[in-house]
Every structure is written in C-alpha cells, then in structure tokens.
Amino acid sequence: MTSPPRTVNAAASTSSTPASTVDARLQAVIFDWAGTLVDHGSLAPTQIFVDAFATFGIDLALEDARGPMGLSKRDHIRTLLVEAHVQAQWRARFGRSSSEADIDAIYERFMPMQIEHVGRYSRPIPGAVETLAALRRAGLKIGSCSGYPRQVMAVLLPQAMADGIHVDHVVAGDDLAAGGRPGPFMALANVLALGIGDVRTCVKVDDTTPGIEEGRNAGMWTVGVSLSGNETGLTLAQLQALPQPELAARRAAASQRLLAAGAHLVVDSVADLPAALADIEARRAGGERP
C-alpha cells in the first residue's frame, strides 16, 4: 500500500512537458539488498554491528546499530563511534578517544563475522522473486547496490540467486573510489553498466534514508520500503504478530522518515512495487520529473 505521493524538489518535479511528447516508460529499477530484496527486517548487518562492538567491550543497542544503516560498513562504524554515548564508553574502556586505526580494527573484526552469518539472512522478502519477474516481463533492466562490501556480496549473491533473486548488475559498498551513500555514485554506476540514457527513467528502491538520498542525488525517482526493512526492523513473523493499530503506527513512522529523506512514494514491501511504478509512469506521462 502506497503513501500519498510527495515531491521534495518542487521546482524540478513540477516542471511540465506536454504529455504527447513524453515517453512515460521507465527503463530501469535499482534495488538495495538487505531489507529490500532479502533479509526481512535488515537483521544481518545490524546484529553483527552489535556483536562486533561487543568484542571491544562496547555495549551497542540494536537501535543504535540501525541509525546509520545504508552507509558503507566502514562509514557505518565511523558514524557509530562518534555517537556521544558510544565514544564515552570507548574512552572509559581504553582511556582515549577512538582513532582511524580503531575504525580499521572494528571493521576487521566485523568482516569475518558478517561473512559467516550473512547467509542466515539471505532469504528473499515475500514477493521479491515475483516482482523481479514482472519487471523483466515489462522490459525493465534491474540494477542493485548495497552497503555490503564485495566480500560479503560474494557470499550473499549465490544464495539469493538460488532462491530466485536475479539482477542484471551489482555494485558493492567498497567497489567505487568515489564512495557510497548518500552520494549518487553506486546508483550512477548501475546507470552506466545498464546502458541507461536518462537517469529520470530510473527508480531507486531502498529501505534506508541514505539509500533514498542516493537516488535523489542521482536524479532518479525513489521508492521507500517501510515495513520489510531497516525503518521497522522486524522479522516477517514479528511483523505479522503486531496488532493492527501498532502496525499502522509503525508504517506511518517509517513512511514519514523515508518521505522526509526524499522518497517520491513509499510502499510496505517490494511486493507492492508494481503499483508504485505504474503511479510513477502516470506522473511521467503528465510531464512530471523527479
């Protein structure tokens, strides 16, 4: 179920071209991975951050770990370490502020743990396989990018493919010298690889605010995912067990954060994406641009 459309950059989005001259068809959809295509609740990265920090004697709550989700994993660690309560723990434990060398040390501890455990969370989100098949039938190209480094994606991809998740291109969080989210670089690398001539015919789909900002910075349409990913952070079973009022409240809160980051539309999960794409094509036919 989609939220009411919201245009963040009104000047860009309301510029009109006569509908008769507009080719409304989209050319590509670029997906995030954890929380968007696989791993309902985006549990693999968040729990491993908690576990990795714990090996240094730092108590990190799961909600703390979720805060910077969408960034590359090294940037995620850097962002967590500058949080006041985390930095206070670090100084109490080691008698000094954290350094770049400490970021490296945590990252080196994190990586083998993430590689070991990512497969546990590789199951497709319900509706993902069917949605990808529908996009292919419609002639759309399918790109993807992730905050996961290439070593982790090398473990995740074969398992996801065995479960029916097939994409045309993958950009990992450490592939590009230019950096990751919220910059546009991973999304634009997909545009180049897929041979798309106009970024305005692309849609970025993501469950995190940096991922939405990435799509906006790349000049694309953006669709946020509210219930299956990081902004809600629950397994499918946990989500299904919620009373309806609490489910509605969580949907509204997640949608508000994604819309504030610049999402043009928000859906519950990737299963609802085809209706959102139809909405975007209707808006394009009317001359609207992202």
Side-chain angles (χ1 to χ4, degrees):
M1 180 178 181
T2 60
S3 314
R6 175 180 180 271
T7 300
V8 175
N9 185 341
S13 296
T14 57
S15 60
S16 295
T17 304
S20 60
T21 69
V22 172
D23 183 350
R25 292 170 296 180
L26 296 168
Q27 295 186 47
V29 181
I30 299 166
F31 291 93
D32 176 53
W33 279 86
T36 301
L37 288 176
V38 300
D39 184 8
H40 200 290
S42 194
L43 300 177
T46 48
Q47 186 59 54
I48 303 304
F49 280 120
V50 172
D51 296 343
F53 272 77
T55 68
F56 288 83
I58 305 301
D59 183 17
L60 193 68
L62 199 59
E63 286 307 307
D64 293 330
R66 288 196 180 281
M69 196 59 67
L71 301 180
S72 70
K73 301 315 175 199
R74 191 183 296 274
D75 287 343
H76 193 131
I77 291 167
R78 179 180 287 106
T79 302
L80 288 172
L81 274 175
V82 300
E83 292 290 333
H85 67 289
V86 177
Q87 190 62 206
Q89 288 187 66
W90 191 274
R91 287 195 298 269
R93 176 119 180 130
F94 298 104
R96 58 174 176 78
S97 298
S98 62
S99 66
E100 284 294 311
D102 297 321
I103 294 170
D104 292 340
I106 297 171
Y107 185 77
E108 289 170 7
R109 191 76 53 85
F110 167 86
M111 277 294 292
M113 297 170 72
Q114 184 72 92
I115 291 168
E116 179 183 357
H117 294 293
V118 69
R120 298 182 187 177
Y121 302 94
S122 67
R123 297 281 299 177
I125 287 169
V129 172
E130 295 80 4
T131 292
L132 293 179
L135 300 188
R136 290 192 188 283
R137 289 193 299 270
L140 289 162
K141 295 181 179 180
I142 300 171
S144 69
C145 50
S146 175
Y148 281 142
R150 180 56 64 175
Q151 285 178 281
V152 176
M153 291 304 294
V155 176
L156 173 61
L157 284 171
Q159 299 184 53
M161 288 177 65
D163 286 329
I165 300 293
H166 300 279
V167 300
D168 299 321
H169 190 64
V170 179
V171 180
D174 59 349
D175 280 353
L176 304 177
R181 301 164 180 154
F185 313 109
M186 292 197 293
L188 293 177
N190 275 277
V191 171
L192 291 172
L194 297 174
I196 306 300
D198 186 347
V199 294
R200 297 171 299 178
T201 66
C202 298
V203 180
K204 177 70 199 303
V205 184
D206 208 293
D207 66 306
T208 69
T209 56
I212 294 298
E213 292 168 357
E214 170 195 20
R216 290 300 302 241
N217 288 334
M220 299 177 179
W221 295 91
T222 56
V223 177
V225 178
S226 63
L227 292 184
S228 71
N230 182 69
E231 291 302 323
T232 299
L234 297 177
T235 67
L236 180 60
Q238 289 170 334
L239 191 72
Q240 291 173 335
L242 290 179
Q244 283 301 313
E246 184 175 352
L247 177 65
R250 286 177 177 262
R251 177 188 288 115
S255 297
Q256 183 177 17
R257 289 189 291 270
L258 292 163
L259 290 168
H264 294 91
L265 292 166
V266 177
V267 296
D268 286 354
S269 80
V270 68
D272 307 306
L273 184 62
L277 298 183
D279 185 295
I280 290 171
E281 289 194 330
R283 293 164 69 171
R284 282 179 52 77
E288 193 174 337
R289 295 292 179 265

